[in-house]
Amino acid sequence: MVVVMLFISACTPRVEVAVPNEPITINLNVKIDHEIRIKVDKEIDELFDENSDLF
């Protein structure tokens, strides 16, 4: 019985978390998306200014 208990306790699962050696690189192209939204907003503003009785 003691041998079985030692065998079971020696086989406990172990999880390790290690820090990577190289930094994590995330590429975001937020500036292009932001420029597109600004252009659309300006076009909509101009459209509303030209057609103020639209709504």
Side-chain angles (χ1 to χ4, degrees), residues 26-43:
I26 300 173
N27 292 324
L28 296 176
N29 200 357
V30 176
K31 183 177 180 182
I32 291 175
D33 185 31
H34 185 70
E35 288 178 0
I36 291 170
R37 296 177 82 188
I38 289 173
K39 287 179 182 176
V40 170
D41 284 345
K42 286 183 180 180
E43 289 177 5

Side-chain angles (χ1 to χ4, degrees), residues 1-9:
M1 180 75 172
V2 175
V3 175
V4 172
M5 291 299 289
L6 286 173
F7 182 73
I8 291 174
S9 66

Side-chain angles (χ1 to χ4, degrees), residues 17-28:
V17 178
V19 179
N21 293 335
E22 298 177 8
I24 298 171
T25 303
I26 300 173
N27 292 324
L28 296 176

